[in-house]
Amino acid sequence: MSDSGAPVQPVQSFRFTGTGGEYFRIWIVNLCLSVVTLGIYSAWAKVQRLQYFYRHTSVAGSSFDYHGNPVAILKGRIIAFVLFMAYSLSGEVSPLLQVATFAVLAVVMPWLIQRSLCFRLHYSSWRGLRFAFRGTVRDAYSAYLLWPMLAAFTLYLLAPLAHQRIKEFQINNSRFGDADFRFQGDTGQFYILYLLSLLIVVLGVIVIVAPLVVLVIALFKWQALGGGGSDRAGFMIAMVAMMVIWLGVLFSIYVVAWPFYTARLQNMLWNNTFLGAHRFACDMKMGKLLGLHLTNILGIIFTLGLFKPFADIRMARYRIESLSLLPADDLESFVARQEQEVAAMGDEMTEMFDIDIGM
Amino acid sequence: MDNAVLARYYDGRTTRPQEVRLAVVDGRLSMRGEDFERLVPVEHLRVGQALGSAPRRIDFPSGSHCEVGTEHLAGLEVLLAQLGFKSSRVAHWQSRTRHAVAALAITLAVLGAGYRWGLPLGAELAARQIPPQAAELMDTHSLRLLDEVAFGPTRLPEAQRNRIIARFDALATPDGAAVPHHIVFRDGGKIGANALALPGGTIVVTDQLVKLADDDEQVLGVLAHELGHVRGRHSLRQLLQTSVVGMVVAWYTGDASSLLATVPTVLLDTKYSRDFEREADAYSAAMMSANHIPPERLATLLDKLEKEFHPDGKVDGGSLEDYFSTHPNTGERIKRLRQGS
């Protein structure tokens, strides 16, 4: 990995120093202010949240920083809110209108995503140098509209390919200072990931649901022989059985396949990402991720949501500390590049419509 | 100086860090590095709010900045105070647990008040702004859907339908204001005896309801209740209120689980629905009284409907199910209507 004669650089692990208790205090005060100001303050709260997480994340002794403009974020949020309400209410006026609204949103979405990537990266920095995103709107449409549509039209057989194209678009167009990010993951790895995940779902369903189906059939047989009560009881059994089977399916997807998929995907993405001559490594473990996620969900349920800030911190800590940088030099030779100001609107709208653009 | 604050300086052009010591000299910020020293006047410094134990930065006009790590934050506070920087109030609130508890209490109080009074008020104001053409479009769409899914064409004799409509249109409204409406009849099919009001003023009455009634006056009581829904724009208000509730709950539960979100949303929505039903009952009672018809008529019909749908149940006081129900407990409704007459 390094030239002969050049000193080998030590691996730099990413560190996260944020704590749940401290973040909870920040979070609850910001929530209170947001509610009291009917949501206006939420833009400032978002900047603080990102700053807290960025500044507590460090590599090679230096932390990251976020310097987005709250006013720009507020404008974006207002527009996103209006669009969301329009979409919700259009369904009541006529289904045609709702389909039309959806079509407009779908067409506009790649542009929004491209803007949000520009915004998020431009306002992120490390050691004083900014990140940047140089993907064109045309490439955004190819990645976020063309490939997903192709995937849908081929019954999702092309979904792993579309996913690879999207990641390529996101990563290859990202820069730090004068250095470019590069993604070397090939489509084959995505296909293996999807196939294995699907296999786990199928196995999970069989293992969990099969005994349930057997049990339900036994119950029905028992009832038909006159062992049970009226028709109503039979109906109740059927309803409960359907619900349990459905929960079983959800459970096997959510609990078993999701941590496998997520851990493997993250590892594959980072292990194949370069920044100039430097590279990254990620070693998330499926079991650890599952345990973390389940305890987070239980915590949130039993505290009616108050555990959420703690859950966010725990998840961030695990994700960040699974990551390391394999530097090719002493990391002091990055140089700044001139970039112009970027409008904020994109970031907020994609958040409103729940699109995950992060890695 | 042993109370000097250590920091790292970055010139903004490369990633080379330089260790510096910060101090206050002559009311200005002194930054001393290995091979340089700068004195920066206060007005050239940009300092953000403290954020817990996260590293802080001081920005300089040239695009350079320095970062102070967690260990030296206390020293930095002292230094900034000496330079005349006020610490932010929000940061102060965020640093004390008792403020956090207060914030939690205030948040819950405001959300509760918003749900109970704020959102209904906002929805009422917004519903007034929606043009009648839009509401009528909704009616056409909804009625077509109902005709496809549940209803069939009416089988009541035309004379009877016209008589009911004529008698109803002859009634005065409680406040004298005209309420545009359009009564249509349908065979209720599986739905049976029922009546509903659509946002644009269309009132649908099923044949089964008319047949269940003992006389016209009971049907008029139901029509007056539905007119109450039209007058109060309840359909639109309900729609707006449930949309906002759904949005807030979804935003809060976020990525935790969409399954989690459904139960609280249902509970919150049905309370709004029951409030609207109570309003419509009161409107019906007032309208009947204004036309010298006893409001009791509607109560009698509700009683008959209840016996129709729950033949072995008792029309009684409340239960836990009521919180999931879109209508107030029938016993309660009947009692209120009878007290009013």
Side-chain angles (χ1 to χ4, degrees):
Chain A
M1 214 169 9
S2 58
D3 298 330
S4 58
V8 173
Q9 300 290 328
V11 170
Q12 301 283 354
S13 301
F14 280 74
R15 289 185 61 226
F16 182 73
T17 51
T19 57
E22 176 181 76
Y23 179 59
F24 178 80
R25 287 197 298 267
I26 293 175
W27 176 84
I28 187 65
V29 168
N30 282 348
L31 181 64
C32 180
L33 288 169
S34 298
V35 165
V36 164
T37 58
L38 294 178
I40 307 262
Y41 182 81
S42 69
W44 280 260
K46 171 167 178 171
V47 170
Q48 285 213 325
R49 170 170 62 88
L50 288 171
Q51 278 176 343
Y52 185 84
F53 280 86
Y54 275 48
R55 290 178 184 174
H56 273 297
T57 305
S58 63
V59 70
S62 304
S63 59
F64 291 82
D65 199 7
Y66 176 78
H67 19 89
N69 174 11
V71 172
I73 288 179
L74 181 62
K75 282 195 282 200
R77 283 197 159 183
I78 291 175
I79 295 176
F81 174 78
V82 167
L83 286 180
F84 179 81
M85 290 300 279
Y87 176 70
S88 305
L89 297 175
S90 67
E92 297 300 320
V93 177
S94 94
L96 199 61
L97 185 60
Q98 187 166 48
V99 169
T101 313
F102 180 78
V104 167
L105 284 173
V107 166
V108 161
M109 197 55 68
W111 176 77
L112 286 177
I113 294 178
Q114 189 260 357
R115 301 309 303 154
S116 82
L117 284 168
C118 281
F119 175 77
R120 177 63 74 95
L121 287 184
H122 177 72
Y123 287 110
S124 306
S125 66
W126 184 74
R127 289 193 179 178
L129 294 198
R130 295 188 180 221
F131 291 81
F133 186 77
R134 57 137 193 226
T136 61
V137 177
R138 234 189 73 184
D139 287 340
Y141 274 92
S142 176
Y144 289 107
L145 197 58
L146 181 63
W147 283 108
M149 266 172 37
L150 277 177
F153 285 140
T154 56
L155 298 176
Y156 290 103
L157 287 175
L158 285 184
L161 178 59
H163 197 164
Q164 193 264 354
R165 289 285 185 268
I166 288 176
K167 283 306 172 195
E168 227 178 28
F169 169 73
Q170 283 175 350
I171 300 173
N172 287 354
N173 285 312
S174 300
R175 304 194 285 209
F176 173 68
D178 61 338
D180 294 338
F181 282 90
R182 201 168 71 252
F183 180 61
Q184 291 196 332
D186 61 58
T187 313
Q189 289 170 302
F190 281 87
Y191 271 96
I192 294 175
L193 169 69
Y194 273 61
L195 281 172
L196 286 177
S197 303
L198 196 57
L199 192 62
I200 289 181
V201 171
V202 168
L203 280 176
V205 169
I206 292 175
V207 164
I208 290 171
V209 171
L212 289 173
V213 170
V214 168
L215 182 63
V216 166
I217 292 178
L219 273 172
F220 268 118
K221 283 225 176 78
W222 168 73
Q223 208 224 341
L225 288 174
S230 60
D231 266 348
R232 200 173 154 79
F235 183 68
M236 288 294 297
I237 292 177
M239 288 309 291
V240 170
M242 294 278 287
M243 218 179 67
V244 173
I245 289 175
W246 177 237
L247 282 176
V249 171
L250 284 182
F251 181 82
S252 70
I253 292 176
Y254 198 63
V255 170
V256 182
W258 179 85
F260 170 82
Y261 172 82
T262 305
R264 199 187 164 96
L265 176 67
Q266 289 297 305
N267 295 345
M268 189 252 284
L269 289 175
W270 284 110
N271 289 339
N272 286 297
T273 298
F274 290 76
L275 172 61
H278 316 286
R279 61 182 308 178
F280 296 87
C282 183
D283 66 345
M284 281 178 112
K285 302 278 188 290
M286 159 185 174
K288 185 88 202 292
L289 187 63
L290 172 62
L292 195 57
H293 193 67
L294 277 182
T295 48
N296 278 349
I297 297 251
L298 288 174
I300 291 175
I301 292 177
F302 285 122
T303 59
L304 295 178
L306 289 179
F307 188 72
K308 184 144 199 307
F310 293 90
D312 287 346
I313 292 270
R314 294 173 87 218
M315 189 56 87
R317 181 179 299 127
Y318 184 62
R319 290 193 150 197
I320 289 167
E321 297 195 338
S322 304
L323 201 52
S324 23
L325 175 66
L326 281 57
D329 61 39
D330 59 8
L331 296 171
E332 296 187 8
S333 50
F334 290 101
V335 169
R337 221 205 287 245
Q338 297 293 59
E339 301 291 341
Q340 66 251 65
E341 280 300 305
V342 174
M345 202 171 63
D347 195 25
E348 285 319 303
M349 283 202 255
T350 51
E351 184 181 279
M352 193 82 185
F353 288 97
D354 198 38
I355 303 250
D356 176 34
I357 55 167
M359 240 165 135
Chain B
M1 286 174 278
D2 35 78
N3 55 351
V5 175
L6 298 178
R8 275 182 160 194
Y9 171 79
Y10 298 100
D11 61 7
R13 287 188 295 276
T14 72
T15 49
R16 188 171 78 88
Q18 297 178 62
E19 308 290 338
V20 295
R21 302 175 91 92
L22 302 175
V24 178
V25 172
D26 296 334
R28 287 179 290 179
L29 179 72
S30 144
M31 189 167 59
R32 196 189 291 176
E34 204 177 279
D35 47 7
F36 75 101
E37 175 168 357
R38 283 171 70 166
L39 278 171
V40 187
V42 165
E43 53 272 15
H44 286 177
L45 300 174
R46 216 177 63 230
V47 182
Q49 170 195 323
L51 200 55
S53 62
R56 283 177 85 170
R57 69 190 261 160
I58 301 175
D59 283 276
F60 306 113
S62 52
S64 57
H65 76 285
C66 67
E67 283 171 21
V68 178
T70 307
E71 326 76 73
H72 297 282
L73 285 181
L76 180 64
E77 275 294 323
V78 172
L79 197 146
L80 289 174
Q82 283 176 340
L83 288 172
F85 283 92
K86 303 258 187 307
S87 73
S88 127
R89 242 184 333 199
V90 175
H92 176 70
W93 293 333
Q94 288 168 342
S95 59
R96 298 255 180 312
T97 305
R98 64 164 176 268
H99 292 309
V101 173
L104 180 59
I106 295 174
T107 304
L108 291 174
V110 171
L111 283 177
Y115 167 73
R116 191 117 178 2
W117 297 292
L119 180 56
L121 183 63
E124 195 184 332
L125 293 172
R128 287 198 207 143
Q129 308 307 321
I130 295 185
Q133 293 84 351
E136 276 154 33
L137 258 178
M138 288 187 211
D139 277 14
T140 320
H141 164 51
S142 301
L143 198 52
R144 195 173 325 138
L145 204 60
L146 286 167
D147 285 339
E148 265 172 47
V149 169
F151 292 155
T154 182
R155 285 191 261 209
L156 288 178
E158 193 179 336
Q160 184 182 20
R161 294 186 333 241
N162 290 344
R163 185 186 75 231
I164 293 175
I165 293 178
R167 279 195 73 178
F168 186 69
D169 285 346
L171 297 180
T173 58
D175 53 3
V179 182
H181 62 276
H182 174 59
I183 301 174
V184 298
F185 294 85
R186 290 288 188 276
D187 181 335
K190 289 234 173 61
I191 294 190
N194 213 325
L196 41 121
L198 300 176
T202 308
I203 297 177
V204 184
V205 185
T206 64
D207 299 349
Q208 287 82 345
L209 182 75
V210 176
K211 293 205 189 98
L212 186 66
D214 299 318
D215 54 45
D216 279 356
E217 286 187 345
Q218 288 179 359
V219 180
L220 292 181
V222 170
L223 287 173
H225 170 102
E226 298 306 326
L227 196 70
H229 282 318
V230 175
R231 174 89 172 93
R233 290 186 178 80
H234 291 172
S235 292
L236 283 173
R237 283 159 65 183
Q238 171 86 357
L239 180 61
L240 288 168
Q241 285 169 213
T242 52
S243 293
V244 173
V245 165
M247 202 176 66
V248 170
V249 172
W251 168 80
Y252 184 71
T253 55
D255 46 11
S257 168
S258 51
L259 282 176
L260 284 181
T262 48
V263 170
T265 316
V266 162
L267 284 173
L268 294 170
D269 288 347
T270 51
K271 177 203 181 296
Y272 284 148
S273 167
R274 290 192 296 277
D275 288 344
F276 288 134
E277 291 302 324
R278 274 186 270 266
E279 247 183 71
D281 277 350
Y283 188 88
S284 172
M287 185 162 171
M288 293 291 101
S289 300
N291 291 280
H292 310 293
I293 303 175
E296 227 267 344
R297 298 283 179 263
L298 179 56
T300 313
L301 189 50
L302 285 177
D303 208 5
K304 299 188 72 169
L305 274 168
E306 187 71 14
K307 293 203 169 70
E308 176 94 351
F309 285 120
H310 301 124
D312 42 352
K314 264 194 312 188
V315 180
D316 63 353
S319 75
L320 196 59
E321 266 181 1
D322 288 347
Y323 285 102
F324 287 88
S325 166
T326 54
H327 285 61
N329 181 274
T330 313
E332 177 205 322
R333 295 176 74 187
I334 292 175
K335 203 189 303 177
R336 279 211 191 159
L337 285 165
R338 288 195 167 134
Q339 273 164 5
S341 38

